[in-house]
Amino acid sequence: MDAPLYLRPRVEPPLAGLLTDRHFLHSLVDALGSPLNVLLPEAVAENAARFRTVYDRHHLTGRVYFAHKANRSSALLRRLAAEDPAAVGVDVASVAELRHALGCGFTGDRIMATGPKDAAFLWLAARVGATVNLDSPGELERLSGLVRAHGFGRVAVLVRLSGFEHASGREGAGTRLLSRRSRFGTPVQGAEALLSALERNAETVEFVGAAYHLDTTGLEEKARALEQCVLFMDECRARGLSPRALDIGGGFGVGYVAEAEEWERWTTALTEAVLGVRPPLTWRGHGYGLRNEGGTVRGAAALYPAHRPTAGPGYLDELLSLPAPVLGRHTATLLLEHLHDLHIEPGRSLVDQCGLSLARVLDVRPADPDSGQYLVHLAMNAGDMSLEEHGVLVDPVLLPRGGTTAAVDGEAVGVYLTGNLCLEGDLLTRRLVHLPRLPVAGDLLAFVNTAGYAMDFHAHRAQRQPVARTVAVERRGESWNWCPDEDYWPITPVGEQPDEV
Amino acid sequence: MRYDSITEAIGNTPLVRIDPAVHGLRNIDLYAKLEMLNPFGSVKDRPAWHMARPHLEAATDAEGTVVELSSGNTAKALALLAGMHGVRFKSVTNRMRVPEIKELLLLIGAEIEELPGRSECLDPTDTDDPLTHFHRALSDPGSTYLHTDQYFNPRNVEAHAEGTGPEIVKDLDGRAPDWFIACVGTAGSSTGVARVLREHDPRVRVLGLVAHKSDFIPGIRTIDEVHQVGLFDPATYDTIESVTSDEAIDGMITLIRRCGLLSGPTGGAAYQGAVRQLRYADEELDGTGQRRTAVFIVCDRAESYLSYVRQRRPELLGRTGRGRSAVAVTGAEARAEARVIGVDDARRWSAEGDPRPLVVDLRSPHAYAALHIEGSVNIVDEVFEDLLRGGLPFSKRTPVLLACPVGEKSLRYAAALSRMGHPDVRSLAGGIVAWRDAGAPLVRE
Ligand SMILES: Cc1ncc(COP(=O)(O)O)c(C=O)c1O
């Protein structure tokens, strides 16, 4: 057999410490069943602090808004609500998320309402004084109507812009930076209608700034969008409006795989497998979007760049240090000199290292004779843990049930991880996963770093399989304590009743 | 040498021997094929002309646009050729990472379309791949695009099989070299030259060089990316090796500083990769009395890669300090030596002072135009820094109030001015931000 192709996860404290406490994790699954999601609320606060450090370095003010869509947990939200109100807020994309944020202790002025909004969402946002991130002039008119009809006070609004590649040619003729098309936001070119609507409705809405969210890993595109927004806000000032905040959305990324070499080796091997010069490393030769056309690889690999030299706060720092394409100053300097607050909406990156998903091994059998590969059947399905569905490839960590002395086959082994649904397609990975040894029934597999979009983005009850429960854990002295996610409050040690305060 | 058109100057480039004292090989003569001396500056002049010529010479009505997926030399050559024939040129690329090349292309009159980055919220079922869009646009009926398609077009290889390869053989007095070394971008030059050399002598060994996977060397592909190249056939190469950007720059520096060859990074990579590989062969030849020959290609010139070098090896562009600099004032020195003034006092001073202070706003003109303290003058920090090198820019009788966004830069400049003997210069504490937060007026013009 070839050398095992690992994609071992990046694990940092305190998650790393939790993973070494096998007995605790096994006892959790014994009590609460498989699958099980485990969250570390303390880690989300640390991440927020890291983002704040980048702000401080660039002398910037403004808020870090957690993009709630990344995880529906109460513990994470409550922990963030306990942070400095001026520094941390929450970005909600539905009326349910808005209600949840309010219930977790966020006051309206710390909430940013984004995404498509129905009347109930707009009404509640206006009622509680949330900032509404407007998607279109139509939404502005509907919001205005509600404010008038119900006699609310002025609502703070940001305008979400898009279509920066078509923006007027100040950047000089000849270059067009294409962007991924987005369903959201108002094209900068069409912003004139938006501005006059803002002026017309000045008694109902208070225009506080511009926003964008670009679904791209490309720093240059984001720097360009940032600068276009600064220029746009200038035009607004020239018309007598006084915007002062720029919300640059999320998408700062997470590094899932620890070692660059493992990631490089695996992706090279995928290309070779698609070309047929090495055996497949995926279920039925799946190519993740790559295909072989007469010996040439075509298509684009639908893979999340799982190893990253910089992600999260580091990525923000890079973006803020990039020269703006037209004005030349660093983007941070641009914001600072124009006296703008910077808002960000990290989702995935704010919950980096904040959680893991546990699954019990039900059964292990050879995949087919002689291959040396196995099928490992888990008490979990692809809907419970959707890393792979988002193109994120990373190995689970094996947590044997027995003590370290238990007899286990000490050889690395290639396995396919299958789920608990009666569907041929219910694979947790379409990739051959290498584990340091063959698991046995009763062992646990821990999928690390699933708090961002993976652990509950697609959970469903289709086949009456148990839906994963979620617990919050905290280190206390020598041991870990836990409580159900819904019972977590940042004021009492985990696992104890809230005292009278 | 008299030509009717610059295109006649394409090809017939020199083959120059590298001094053995530089490469240290005792039994192998190493030659550089100087493709950088083509008229548009690179090895791509040949395929660009060979691919585009039939269409351009037929294009009488100056209709249509030549398009290519290129970030550099092919685009440069095609843009010039298109311009000569009154046709437009558009480069589509996601690898436009070297600013000089981009600006040069704009100067030539090219249009550039940069493809977006990868999706962060990845949806593996998404088929919205920008390259697919590109190809769809090209195949639209009624499209007036001419896609030269350098990664798949056999005329790319042909240009080298008819030109570069035979020229090498001719300059080696009818023999093929024992080794041929080339970087792999479109695989056109390596494939075309290798074909011709092998026809002369099947024993020729061909070394293909690619970039190290996590690295970036402009113009060549990584070991994975070559598999996306239609002209790439692994059988062309006896060996494929990867080089790092560091090695490429090392090689480039050797060629420039010791051989007088103003090579770019891929020429450097080819040289460095060649010497690395040939060293073993050279040792085996020791004492056999045999001599061998090797040829590598210098694809293009150094000038376009200064910012690439600056980013990776700034010390090579040795930026030494030019005289007095406010940056030389440390933070602690600035805090100790500069005078600061709070917003309220500053407002009073600028309104009632006798004489009134000159208020200097150190932000960019654009930010200044948007909002500033009434009556202030704008001297952007970079310019101010330069002014200070020349001496004190204000009369000592004019008091000065320096303002920047948060009062950090202005503190350093205030300290620097004090050191230069200005008796009354103060830095606005907390900067324009504090001024605004205190509700003090800001105006725009
Ligand atoms: C408006 C908005 N903000 C923030 C985010 C979060 O992005 P990420 O989780 O990549 O940081 C998203 C993601 O879809 C979004 O649409």
Side-chain angles (χ1 to χ4, degrees):
Chain A
M1 201 179 91
D2 287 325
L5 291 172
Y6 290 116
L7 290 174
R8 282 172 289 204
R10 184 178 62 82
V11 192
E12 288 172 6
L15 195 56
L18 177 62
L19 269 176
T20 61
D21 199 337
R22 267 193 298 143
H23 294 292
F24 175 65
L25 294 175
H26 270 277
S27 72
L28 277 179
V29 177
D30 290 345
L32 299 162
S34 170
L36 180 74
N37 298 322
V38 182
L39 291 173
L40 292 135
E42 213 38 50
V44 79
E46 274 167 38
N47 286 342
R50 283 195 195 110
F51 274 110
R52 298 306 306 180
T53 307
V54 178
Y55 274 64
D56 291 344
R57 186 173 316 136
H58 295 279
H59 305 292
L60 290 167
T61 47
R63 271 206 189 103
V64 177
Y65 288 91
F66 171 52
H68 191 339
K69 55 180 80 65
N71 196 301
R72 53 141 70 105
S73 152
S74 295
L76 294 177
L77 224 54
R78 289 175 192 164
R79 185 60 192 84
L80 288 171
E83 290 292 287
D84 176 7
V88 178
V90 58
D91 151 24
V92 297
S94 70
V95 71
E97 285 186 2
L98 172 55
R99 289 165 56 191
H100 188 218
L102 291 166
C104 286
F106 281 93
T107 48
D109 60 334
R110 293 170 72 185
I111 299 176
M112 176 82 69
T114 61
K117 299 167 205 80
D118 60 16
F121 189 13
L122 279 176
W123 181 84
L124 188 57
R127 175 70 278 180
V128 301
T131 301
V132 176
N133 202 318
L134 291 171
D135 213 35
S136 65
E139 205 166 75
L140 168 61
E141 297 295 352
R142 282 190 289 129
L143 175 65
S144 251
L146 276 170
V147 171
R148 275 196 200 92
H150 298 276
F152 293 156
R154 281 170 93 208
V155 177
V157 296
L158 295 176
V159 296
R160 166 96 73 92
L161 301 176
S162 65
F164 301 102
E165 71 270 33
H166 297 295
S168 63
R170 274 193 236 221
E171 60 279 8
T175 310
R176 202 157 82 96
L177 183 65
L178 303 180
S179 278
R180 260 161 219 290
R181 280 170 305 176
S182 168
R183 295 191 288 128
F184 305 108
T186 302
V188 223
Q189 286 163 311
E192 174 53 40
L194 200 58
L195 282 180
S196 47
L198 283 168
E199 286 163 344
R200 236 184 2 261
N201 294 294
E203 81 285 6
T204 52
V205 297
E206 182 199 355
F207 173 50
V208 296
Y212 69 81
H213 172 82
L214 298 184
D215 174 21
T216 175
T217 55
L219 279 164
E220 285 77 14
E221 287 156 84
K222 290 193 174 174
R224 161 155 322 197
L226 191 156
E227 180 176 53
Q228 296 280 342
C229 286
V230 169
L231 296 174
F232 168 79
M233 291 208 281
D234 253 17
E235 280 168 34
C236 297
R237 277 180 173 167
R239 292 173 66 139
L241 297 159
S242 42
R244 56 170 283 171
L246 177 53
D247 175 350
I248 64 169
F252 303 103
V254 163
Y256 288 95
V257 169
E259 299 291 335
E261 300 89 84
E262 290 188 355
W263 177 245
E264 289 177 7
R265 240 163 36 105
W266 194 88
T267 42
T268 293
L270 176 68
T271 305
E272 291 167 356
V274 168
L275 286 174
V277 300
R278 62 160 293 148
L281 26 139
T282 51
W283 185 251
R284 311 232 159 102
H286 179 70
Y288 287 103
L290 298 181
R291 55 185 197 281
N292 179 352
E293 273 180 24
T296 299
V297 173
R298 293 286 208 146
L303 296 179
Y304 188 88
H307 173 82
R308 301 198 168 184
T310 50
Y315 182 97
L316 175 64
D317 197 28
E318 270 187 41
L319 173 60
L320 291 174
S321 308
L322 220 59
V326 180
L327 300 172
R329 307 283 262 184
H330 292 173
T331 53
T333 309
L334 211 59
L335 289 166
L336 190 59
E337 293 191 333
H338 284 78
L339 314 179
H340 295 322
D341 288 341
L342 173 71
H343 296 332
I344 60 173
E345 294 170 356
R348 191 196 296 271
S349 52
L350 199 64
V351 291
D352 181 27
Q353 300 285 316
C354 290
L356 51 82
S357 299
L358 296 170
R360 176 165 294 140
V361 174
L362 295 177
D363 177 41
V364 178
R365 60 194 157 96
D368 44 69
D370 310 329
S371 70
Q373 299 170 353
Y374 290 82
L375 293 178
V376 172
H377 183 40
L378 297 178
M380 170 188 258
N381 58 60
D384 292 314
M385 207 289 299
S386 53
L387 281 178
E388 174 113 355
E389 188 173 332
H390 293 283
V392 177
L393 305 189
V394 60
D395 293 343
V397 177
L398 175 61
L399 304 172
R401 177 154 196 103
T404 41
T405 51
V408 272
D409 187 351
E411 287 269 303
V413 60
V415 305
Y416 290 102
L417 303 174
T418 64
N420 60 5
L421 296 184
C422 302
L423 294 170
E424 284 291 353
D426 186 25
L427 289 171
L428 283 142
T429 59
R430 280 173 292 189
R431 153 185 78 97
L432 185 67
V433 169
H434 283 92
L435 294 174
R437 57 189 151 184
L438 191 63
V440 295
D443 287 349
L444 288 180
L445 289 185
F447 296 87
V448 170
N449 227 344
T450 53
Y453 301 111
M455 66 169 55
D456 64 8
F457 210 52
H458 291 280
H460 61 82
R461 294 172 184 266
Q463 205 182 289
R464 292 185 165 248
Q465 291 289 1
V467 169
R469 306 187 61 171
T470 301
V471 297
V473 300
E474 198 172 78
R475 188 87 183 158
R476 185 143 30 107
E478 287 303 292
S479 62
W480 290 92
N481 277 34
W482 68 276
C483 71
D485 176 64
E486 56 273 25
D487 292 345
Y488 172 91
W489 291 98
I491 46 172
T492 34
V494 155
E496 290 181 12
Q497 286 303 307
D499 296 330
E500 304 243 338
V501 181
Chain B
M1 230 180 286
R2 209 169 109 177
Y3 299 128
D4 288 326
S5 161
I6 188 67
T7 54
E8 292 168 25
I10 295 173
N12 289 315
T13 55
L15 190 66
V16 173
R17 183 161 174 263
I18 306 292
D19 184 346
V22 173
H23 58 63
L25 302 171
R26 290 174 299 268
N27 311 296
I28 300 172
D29 295 308
L30 181 61
Y31 291 92
K33 175 72 171 161
L34 298 190
E35 288 301 295
M36 67 183 196
L37 293 180
N38 276 305
F40 311 139
S42 87
V43 68
K44 301 294 189 183
D45 294 15
R46 300 176 190 257
W49 183 222
H50 197 64
M51 291 186 296
R53 181 177 191 168
H55 305 279
L56 290 177
E57 287 185 339
T60 44
D61 46 359
E63 270 273 323
T65 305
V66 177
V67 288
E68 183 53 273
L69 292 170
S70 165
S71 53
N73 288 318
T74 305
K76 188 161 77 170
L78 284 173
L80 285 159
L81 290 165
M84 289 168 63
H85 291 84
V87 171
R88 301 199 312 168
F89 171 74
K90 178 154 97 179
S91 147
V92 182
T93 174
N94 52 7
R95 338 181 100 237
M96 192 67 68
R97 296 210 243 161
V98 184
E100 293 95 322
I101 297 193
K102 183 167 161 178
E103 291 183 346
L104 191 54
L105 282 176
L106 293 174
L107 180 69
I108 298 171
E111 283 174 61
I112 301 172
E113 272 189 11
E114 294 183 50
L115 296 170
R118 317 176 56 159
S119 170
E120 166 65 32
C121 277
L122 196 79
D123 169 7
T125 58
D126 184 18
T127 51
D128 196 30
D129 164 27
L131 271 183
T132 310
H133 275 296
F134 170 76
H135 287 287
R136 202 176 297 143
L138 289 178
S139 54
D140 253 4
S143 128
T144 54
Y145 287 124
L146 162 65
H147 182 200
T148 34
D149 205 5
Q150 60 169 341
Y151 293 103
F152 288 82
N153 190 339
R155 290 184 71 85
N156 178 352
V157 176
E158 240 170 68
H160 297 286
E162 290 170 11
T164 327
E167 288 170 24
I168 292 172
V169 173
K170 180 170 141 274
D171 286 339
L172 292 177
D173 304 319
R175 288 181 300 109
D178 300 281
W179 285 277
F180 172 63
I181 300 105
C183 287
V184 184
T186 64
S189 59
S190 48
T191 308
V193 173
R195 182 183 301 164
V196 172
L197 298 184
R198 287 211 174 97
E199 278 164 14
H200 274 262
D201 184 348
R203 288 167 306 175
V204 174
R205 266 151 293 167
V206 178
L207 168 62
L209 293 165
V210 291
H212 199 69
K213 183 161 172 175
S214 58
D215 215 337
F216 170 64
I217 303 177
I220 69 177
R221 307 223 125 203
T222 68
I223 188 72
D224 282 3
E225 289 168 343
V226 289
H227 296 295
Q228 300 161 6
V229 174
L231 302 178
F232 176 79
D233 177 359
T236 300
Y237 310 89
D238 297 284
T239 322
I240 293 182
E241 298 254 308
S242 72
V243 279
T244 63
S245 56
D246 249 0
E247 290 173 300
I249 294 174
D250 284 342
M252 174 178 162
I253 293 304
T254 305
L255 293 179
I256 292 173
R257 295 191 179 173
R258 301 199 57 200
C259 307
L261 304 179
L262 210 45
S263 160
T266 51
Y271 169 76
Q272 204 74 4
V275 174
R276 195 176 70 186
Q277 181 82 0
L278 295 175
R279 201 163 283 138
Y280 307 105
D282 189 53
E283 278 168 17
E284 283 174 14
L285 288 169
D286 270 344
T288 64
Q290 300 177 36
R291 282 209 79 72
R292 300 268 191 267
T293 314
V295 171
F296 70 97
I297 290 190
V298 178
C299 302
D300 67 357
R301 302 169 62 88
E303 289 90 331
S304 300
Y305 303 99
L306 291 175
S307 54
Y308 177 76
V309 174
R310 185 178 307 122
Q311 204 178 26
R312 278 149 214 267
R313 299 272 278 280
E315 71 281 2
L316 287 172
L317 306 181
R319 300 195 141 187
T320 47
R322 293 191 294 130
R324 188 180 7 238
S325 158
V327 185
V329 180
T330 67
E333 285 167 353
R335 278 189 296 279
E337 294 171 31
R339 292 174 72 182
V340 295
I341 182 166
V343 172
D344 288 345
D345 291 337
R347 284 182 78 175
R348 219 167 298 124
W349 189 35
S350 61
E352 298 158 16
D354 186 22
R356 301 223 180 124
L358 176 66
V359 184
V360 180
D361 187 327
L362 298 163
R363 297 174 302 151
S364 65
H366 196 263
Y368 172 83
L371 278 181
H372 58 252
I373 296 173
E374 188 155 23
S376 59
V377 299
N378 180 214
I379 308 179
V380 67
D381 50 19
E382 293 154 8
V383 176
F384 200 73
E385 176 91 35
D386 275 347
L387 279 178
L388 293 197
R389 287 206 182 86
L392 203 51
F394 311 108
S395 157
K396 291 184 186 174
R397 271 174 306 202
T398 312
V400 177
L401 172 61
L402 296 178
C404 71
V406 290
E408 198 184 58
K409 274 184 195 152
S410 57
L411 198 71
R412 293 197 174 196
Y413 290 124
L417 284 174
S418 301
R419 283 185 182 183
M420 292 163 75
H422 197 291
D424 192 7
V425 55
R426 305 182 210 184
S427 162
L428 178 63
I432 311 275
V433 167
W435 181 278
R436 177 205 57 194
D437 289 349
L442 290 168
V443 297
R444 63 172 292 127
E445 270 148 51

